[in-house]
Amino acid sequence: MSGFRARDWQVQPPALTPDYKTTRLRAPSAPLITMPEGCAPESGPVFGQGDLGPLDHDLLQNHVQDGAPIGERILLHGRVLDQEARPVAGTLVEVWQANAGGRYRHRNDRYLAPLDPNFGGCGRTLTDDAGGYRFHTLRPGPYPWPNSDNSWRPAHIHVSIMGSGFPQRLITQLYFEGDPLIPLCPIVQAVPDASAIDRLTARLDLAAASPFDCLAYRFDIVLRGRRASLFENKLEGM
Amino acid sequence: MAKSPLLETASQTAGPYVHIGLAPEIAELTKPLTPLGQSIAGPRVSGERILVRGIIFDGAQDPVTDAMLEIWQADAEGRHAGDDGCAPEFRGWGRVAADFDTGLWHFETIKPGRVGARAPHIALWIVARGINIGLHTRLYFDDETEANEADPVLQSVPDSRKAATLMAQKERDGVYRFDIRLQGPGETVFFDI
Ligand SMILES: [Fe+3]
């Protein structure tokens, strides 16, 4: 056990979710072993602006060859907090996604939708002091995947958050408010709780839109908090 | 004072295209992002240079060819990056991806030292298609018998055959092999940390 709050298995997906077929051969069958007190890592890697390029957060610009990428321009923004609602500042947030047609710029993606020469589909940034992050990107398209003979992923953006310690490490996916594919997707439905699925849904944030430029969606992220004892002994007053 | 905590954001699988975001060199994406996590210990960091390699197997004993691993470890003196005295070139963190055809992954680093009572070890975090929430495991070294016998994490594993799944085998000087089995006979121990 680390100095972080225990994982909340009401919220987190179990390893085995048979409707998502690949889990059948990849889910460990034994329960996780709780690491003894004081043995889990408490820290994790730290990143600085020197690790990033100037356009890393701007997917509308960072792969431009001969013009702007095609699709619905959006600002994706939000905050990274811990369970005590404290900002997780200076943490690395990385995103990857399909283009507007639902195709990834990846050697193994052979979907017939075309690549967009001006869209790479990946970005990263560091959160600010308030835990805030911002990406400019496109709304990705849905795409088919070989789970059953007619499976489609809802439009989604993959999000990786480093956190302030290795136990906080999280990869998730954000979805878009109102997408009718959300309730049909076994990857989404691996999450056992409807409100937890709701919190994976980015909300239209019209107030943050740039008129005549891009719409905005808001997606807040909550990482495991620190356990109270450690909180009082070590972190309070930092 | 005691407010109820916020609820965690749920994990979702990294999926098969994790590389374009986190390991662009594997996806053969030369732009826009420069890779992170390729140097765990820079050339001037002292310690025994080692290579660790292995394959992740699924329940059908097939190699998992889309997995990505993250590595977090102490330096040869048992210090993590950011601890007092730790060399600036020592990041202690890295990323590697399985080969798309063979599933083989490997990384070069320095052998970590003991941290207090704990035997030398490397923390690994595994994501892939079909893994709903990243799996934490630990790599120990089979040539550290004495330290391993006293290690509280290894002791916490109830069955010695299971503890053996956490042991990297020395193939030759400086080269260790660590295969991971997600399911079935010899299933690797995974931790709730
Ligand atoms: Fe995807």
Side-chain angles (χ1 to χ4, degrees), chain A residues 172-213:
Chain A
T172 189
Q173 302 180 30
L174 72 82
Y175 304 95
F176 291 86
E177 185 176 3
D179 188 333
L181 290 168
I182 291 173
L184 306 179
C185 177
I187 290 179
V188 181
Q189 300 303 322
V191 174
D193 177 75
S195 74
I197 292 174
D198 196 50
R199 289 192 302 277
L200 292 181
T201 308
R203 308 278 164 201
L204 180 69
D205 183 2
L206 196 61
S210 297
F212 305 102
D213 178 351

Side-chain angles (χ1 to χ4, degrees), chain A residues 11-28:
Chain A
V11 163
Q12 297 298 347
L16 178 63
T17 50
D19 288 350
Y20 175 17
K21 275 192 192 155
T22 316
T23 68
R24 297 180 194 176
L25 283 174
R26 294 187 172 190

Side-chain angles (χ1 to χ4, degrees), chain A residues 52-63 122-124, chain B residues 32-33:
Chain A
L52 309 184
L55 292 178
D56 281 7
H57 67 288
D58 190 342
L59 289 76
L60 295 175
Q61 290 195 65
N62 71 18
H63 200 273
C122 47
R124 61 192 176 201
Chain B
L33 306 181

